[in-house]
Amino acid sequence: MKVVIMAGGKGTRISSVASDIPKPMIKIEGISVLEREIECLKNQGFNDIIMTVSHLGNIIMDYFGDGSGNSPATGKPFGVHIEYYFEKEPLGNAGALFKIKDKLTSDFLLLNADAMFDVDFNRFVAFHQKHGGSVTLFTHPNSHPYDSGLIIADKSGAVEKWLAKEDARPQYYRNRVNAGLHVINPEVLELAGIDADSVGKIGEDGKPVKVDLDRQLLKTLAGTGKMFCYDSPEYVKDMGTPDRYYSVCKDCKEGRISAKNLKHKQKAIFLDRDGTINKYVGFLRNIDEFELIDGVAAAIRKINESGYLAVVVTNQPVIARGEVSFEELEEIHNKMETLLGKEGAYLDAIYYCPHHPHKGYEGERPELKIECDCRKPKPGMLFKAAEDFNIDLSQSWMIGDGENDVKAGSNAGCKTVLLSDNDENYGQTETVKSLEEFVSRMM
């Protein structure tokens, strides 16, 4: 599969770090971001690369050549084949695709050159091929969803809405952000209805015609069933500002970037919802009753920074009892993600059990009144998360405020924490009063 790397940005926001080299050539621990990208791709069998360059592009071309030489930084062979397209005039962040479209005859990876990442691309591509879309977006939660573009998708992952930063957004939303990694079928260039010959030429407004990837190509596919999102907790971070650059440097030095690749076993902190994240009100049926416990957002933010995945596993029998719809539960969870996001925290995944074994409730859903494998104290939700994210359960924790939480964690092989002021003993590893206390003690 070909890989197109867009390396033409000027890097204005990070000029205080380096102004005399292209942004992708800024070094992290002695090796440039772009070289790290190429190394990640090569190690997974993606060695056919086209780079689009412009500002100071000769520096990139001189450094990498055609990919057959050795790295000046490491002395190792680059081990890839590289072609270039040089933009003499800026064409927008997707204009060059129309200039090289004859070389794009099948699905290709499209990546930004200024992002630090270490992801399992074969897993990403397999998802794309399974779903059969024209585009698959690599999506993830981040610590600032309130000022990021958001992706809204259905349960199958089909993108329903693409909300750019300037678009109005709902009051509550899932923390799902486009990370800037894509698998694209070249038919997208035809669907856009853009005349390739016009790109770069002077338009009616007297300015060169440019093409914006997000707004002109991808956003238009929302709601068509042709675009899917691939949710992953793997490390992808733009290092385009000084603060983000120094944050990436710290993560690299501490080994967090490579550790997040799903080829490697992950560690997770599984969290019960009611009484652990939000204040306990009994069966929560009304979204207005959802309120975060003081200190929870800061605690989850520390979990995010620690390298553990933050995964919610919650019994929601109100679904089977007919008291809350699936749509209402989704909105409650959107509120949880929105409130956490406003304080710089995020959840990597949310799993819930909608079942309830006891019958006889007015308005109940008979098809959900079953004995299942996912209702805690059974460990089904934890096993599903472990399968989805390659989690080592023996190195993970289950935290909750009840016996079922402790037993579910024990049944899955996790260490366990009971949140309690009392001396109940359900075999838990630790007892603390709050999630905040656990994080303060353990991280």
Side-chain angles (χ1 to χ4, degrees), residues 96-148:
L97 294 179
F98 291 87
K99 300 299 184 182
I100 63 172
K101 71 175 189 173
D102 290 344
K103 298 179 182 292
L104 306 174
T105 57
S106 59
D107 291 342
F108 62 94
L109 279 170
L110 178 65
L111 316 175
N112 293 320
D114 57 357
M116 190 71 167
F117 58 69
D118 192 337
V119 307
D120 187 342
F121 280 108
N122 285 299
R123 186 181 178 125
F124 181 28
V125 170
F127 177 96
H128 171 80
Q129 293 171 340
K130 177 181 178 180
H131 287 74
S134 299
V135 174
T136 300
L137 310 173
F138 189 108
T139 51
H140 61 174
N142 74 13
S143 60
H144 52 98
Y146 47 83
D147 67 356
S148 301

Side-chain angles (χ1 to χ4, degrees), residues 163-170:
L163 301 179
K165 294 179 184 180
E166 66 271 15
D167 292 333
R169 61 182 62 196

Side-chain angles (χ1 to χ4, degrees), residues 33 37 40 110-121 124 137-144 177-182 230-240 244 247-248 251 256-262 346 348:
V33 173
E37 288 192 9
C40 177
L110 178 65
L111 316 175
N112 293 320
D114 57 357
M116 190 71 167
F117 58 69
D118 192 337
V119 307
D120 187 342
F121 280 108
F124 181 28
L137 310 173
F138 189 108
T139 51
H140 61 174
N142 74 13
S143 60
H144 52 98
V177 177
N178 180 20
L181 314 181
H182 323 77
Y230 168 78
D231 293 326
S232 174
E234 292 170 296
Y235 194 100
V236 184
K237 188 172 289 187
D238 167 29
M239 39 68 66
R244 292 178 188 174
S247 174
V248 167
D251 289 340
R256 291 177 182 165
I257 297 174
S258 59
K260 296 285 278 186
N261 188 306
L262 289 181
Y346 58 85
D348 291 289

Side-chain angles (χ1 to χ4, degrees), residues 163-218:
L163 301 179
K165 294 179 184 180
E166 66 271 15
D167 292 333
R169 61 182 62 196
Q171 181 180 12
Y172 303 124
Y173 46 83
R174 182 172 177 183
N175 186 342
R176 178 190 269 139
V177 177
N178 180 20
L181 314 181
H182 323 77
V183 185
I184 297 180
N185 186 283
E187 72 175 8
V188 170
L189 303 180
E190 304 299 333
L191 293 172
I194 294 172
D195 178 10
D197 292 334
S198 69
V199 177
K201 294 182 179 179
I202 302 300
E204 294 180 358
D205 60 359
K207 299 178 181 179
V209 174
K210 299 180 181 180
V211 183
D212 184 273
L213 175 67
D214 291 354
R215 292 163 178 80
Q216 291 179 261
L217 297 188
L218 302 182

